[in-house]
Amino acid sequence: MDERKRAKDSKIFLNLRDFGDTMTHQPDRIWKMTNYLSSLPVEERITGIAFEDVGKFHKDLLGGWTKAVRKEMKRCGWRDGELIFHQHEQWGTMIGDVLEVLAMGATGIWAGLCAEGAAMGHADSCTTILNLIRLGNKKVQTKFNCKHLRDAAINVTKIVTGLPPAPRQPIYGERAIDMVFGFVFSGIADDVKIYTEGFDLAEFLGIEKTMRISNMANPEMILEKLKVTFGDDPQFTMEIAKEMKSQILVNTRDGRKEEYNSHAGLAMLFDQADGKLTPTMAKIVIEATNNTQHIDELIKEIKVDWEDWDVKDGADDDQITFNNFYKGFMAPYFGCYRCEDSQIA
């Protein structure tokens, strides 16, 4: 390398893209390359070695190979050389693979802040760093502004895809901090009898836990949801919470698809469990009922128009041609039925 053309603060890595295949079939090639780079004079050395996996190899192999490469780097005196890893998603094991590689001697990862990327994505830095914190790593907390990683990953995902992260995306998905069964999954410890708090993601990030009420919620969680949503009230006791839990099960058994997470839904569940609606609750229920009635009337009007247009093709089959749907429902809002916006709509 011509040192005259190399900036003093440059960070140069050599990427071993087919690392796993080469280790499997021609491991001596990896050894020779590692040995050569590690044996260069200090002033000629690059920053480090990068390697990657497309989700093809098991973490035990990746970990062992990482240890071997790192050992050769140290044996040749390249102790400050970086060894960074990039892991693609394939079988749902990418974060575990990355943690194994880091534990076996890799000094870091090269990755985006969120998991979006080629094919099925890759092991992102947000999820990796917060897993390291969960496992007790203190160094990353001094090196990165970790409390903002989740928000940053959400924002990057929106910029890249135009959409928020998938709700069940670990760490930065909407449901990653849900409280279910009365505890936060990210805070559960390995105690089969007592669920003591382990690493609580919501607490660490300083954000409010989302209490999602469903047939899996326990009475304690329902009671807390009542108090958080409507404030303290003498009626909000464990007894009424148990009645609300029972009512949820009754609704489920009867095939009633109710929601209990909105203010109105929770208030209606309280009412069904023979609670006396507070003035705030009553107002919310009335507003929700009025809105529902208005929506029901609109649906009835649309249904009449639908039935009129349904028979225009000579068949009363609850199906409408595209042209008739455009004429009956879209024409007032879309100027051309062949334009791209109309086709998408």
Side-chain angles (χ1 to χ4, degrees), residues 229-240:
T229 305
F230 299 109
D232 290 326
D233 188 278
Q235 293 186 84
F236 298 165
T237 62
M238 186 56 65
E239 286 70 26
I240 192 65

Side-chain angles (χ1 to χ4, degrees), residues 86-105:
H86 180 71
Q87 177 67 23
H88 292 269
E89 177 63 292
Q90 186 63 43
W91 300 103
T93 63
M94 62 179 183
I95 297 299
D97 296 343
V98 165
L99 294 176
E100 177 71 12
V101 167
L102 290 172
M104 298 303 285

